Amino acid sequence: MFPSHFKHAQIIPLLNDLNSYRPIYNLSLISKVLEKNVSCCLNVHLNCNHQSNVFQSAYKQFPATETALLKVHSDISLNMDTGKLTAVTLLDLSAAFDTIDYSILLDSLSDWNVISGTALTWILLFLIIGFQSIQI
């Protein structure tokens, strides 16, 4: 169980531009340490069971973003050398986790046999339990 008082997030609104604010979420130190520990354990589990995407560069220690750029450059160069047309679509998913439906995420983790049982329940409780307050 992840105690709910560790999931108290203070939200500090920072002026983003003249018309809007960007929220900054401050969690407790123990929450950040636990989150980092779970993230490391999950990455080890995914890598050991070959369930991690080899081309993913975000949220992983290796490969770096530069490696992803080199892969894209290499693919484009190879296609140009063989006379193939190449199109690149770039998406900014930096705020994707702010809008994720946790039930879909947990169903996917369970359906793909990535996580199950107590670990899946713990992640569910980690994601849904908590409260926020705004610092003015």
Side-chain angles (χ1 to χ4, degrees):
M1 182 78 174
F2 190 82
S4 62
H5 62 277
F6 290 153
K7 289 289 292 180
H8 175 221
Q10 278 194 331
I11 302 172
I12 302 170
L14 292 180
L15 191 59
N16 197 23
D17 57 36
L18 295 177
N19 298 320
S20 66
Y21 285 89
R22 177 174 54 101
I24 302 295
Y25 294 85
N26 285 332
L27 291 171
S28 68
L29 176 64
I30 198 158
S31 178
K32 290 178 183 181
V33 169
L34 187 57
E35 187 176 324
K36 181 71 172 175
N37 189 23
V38 169
S39 174
C40 289
C41 291
L42 184 58
N43 280 329
V44 167
H45 173 75
L46 293 174
N47 290 331
C48 288
N49 292 298
H50 306 291
Q51 294 176 322
S52 177
N53 187 329
V54 296
F55 295 113
Q56 178 182 341
S57 60
Y59 310 107
K60 291 171 72 174
Q61 185 176 6
F62 299 106
T65 307
E66 292 84 2
T67 308
L69 289 172
L70 288 172
K71 169 75 172 126
V72 170
H73 181 269
S74 174
D75 290 348
I76 291 171
S77 296
L78 286 172
N79 285 343
M80 287 175 66
D81 290 344
T82 59
K84 294 181 182 176
L85 179 64
T86 303
V88 177
T89 302
L90 304 172
L91 300 173
D92 179 10
L93 299 175
S94 59
F97 290 110
D98 295 340
T99 60
I100 195 165
D101 184 339
Y102 295 138
S103 61
I104 294 172
L105 171 66
L106 295 168
D107 287 344
S108 298
L109 291 173
S110 178
D111 291 346
W112 297 336
N113 296 318
V114 175
I115 301 173
S116 62
T118 306
L120 188 65
T121 303
W122 190 92
I123 290 174
L124 169 68
L125 294 174
F126 178 80
L127 291 172
I128 64 171
I129 293 177
F131 58 98
Q132 303 167 348
S133 61
I134 298 175
Q135 181 180 342
I136 300 176

